[in-house]
Amino acid sequence: MVERQSPLEPVYHPGSHGNFEHGVDVILSETRPGSILQLAAWPGEEKRLMSGIYKVTGLALPDGAGGGVSNGGKAAFGFAPGKFTVVDEAEGLAAGFAGVITPDIGTLTDLSHGRTAIRIAGPKAEWVMAKFFAIDFALPAFPLGAGRSTNHHDVFAQIQRSGADQFDIYVFRSFARSFWKALCHASEEVGYEVH
């Protein structure tokens, strides 16, 4: 595995922070997946692209906008019509799509070098996330595995619910440090821990 330096390194401070005297309600971490891909289908080729994602990853995406699935090591979700983010803990996932996602189906872009993956978990994760994004984060409106594409000020973010009280947020590496600092600040009043 090629170790990439984290853009969060100067501001990543493990331990408990903020108002944690009554416990920690949010856990923040950087997940550092080996592969982060964006796949886009040409109009009318969405089903073939989804089939290709299943063939390579074993992840069966549900129909419908924002549908997704996460199995721990791999995850995939739709973030716009015909566009999907696919993540794997292992490096080299893009090579697995060679010959599967052909130019007549759509495109594949390896974003592993350009994105930072941040995880927020805990009983107040939805509450903290709602401070940033005008999205209903309640479980019925944002089900397990589902994904959304949005932004906070000028920071573009792709978000996937990866657990009942857990979200994975993918941001541009160039914005990761400032977004991380804002996320830590927003978590202070409920108490947070950095792992």
Side-chain angles (χ1 to χ4, degrees), residues 70 126 139 142-145 160-168:
S70 175
E126 289 179 9
L139 198 51
F142 199 145
L144 189 62
Q160 183 178 34
R161 182 185 285 271
S162 54
D165 63 355
Q166 178 175 288
F167 298 90
D168 291 338

Side-chain angles (χ1 to χ4, degrees), residues 54-143:
Y54 176 75
K55 182 176 181 180
V56 173
T57 66
L59 299 172
L61 285 161
D63 283 337
V69 62
S70 175
N71 72 2
K74 295 179 182 171
F77 60 94
F79 67 90
K83 294 184 179 181
F84 303 88
T85 296
V86 181
V87 180
D88 191 345
E89 286 182 7
E91 290 185 0
L93 183 61
F97 283 99
V100 176
I101 303 303
T102 56
D104 62 315
I105 295 173
T107 63
L108 179 144
T109 307
D110 189 342
L111 302 174
S112 306
H113 63 288
R115 298 288 188 273
T116 297
I118 296 170
R119 177 169 288 162
I120 180 170
K124 292 288 187 178
E126 289 179 9
W127 186 80
V128 171
M129 292 290 285
K131 289 181 170 186
F132 288 88
F133 308 107
I135 293 175
D136 185 351
F137 286 99
L139 198 51
F142 199 145

Side-chain angles (χ1 to χ4, degrees), residues 144-166:
L144 189 62
R148 304 289 184 266
S149 171
T150 186
N151 61 51
H152 172 67
H153 295 287
D154 289 329
V155 180
F156 175 71
Q158 293 176 315
I159 306 164
Q160 183 178 34
R161 182 185 285 271
S162 54
D165 63 355
Q166 178 175 288

Side-chain angles (χ1 to χ4, degrees), residues 39-43 45-46 49-50 78-84 105-107:
L39 288 83
W42 302 124
E45 298 297 328
E46 295 85 1
L49 185 83
M50 291 168 66
F79 67 90
K83 294 184 179 181
F84 303 88
I105 295 173
T107 63

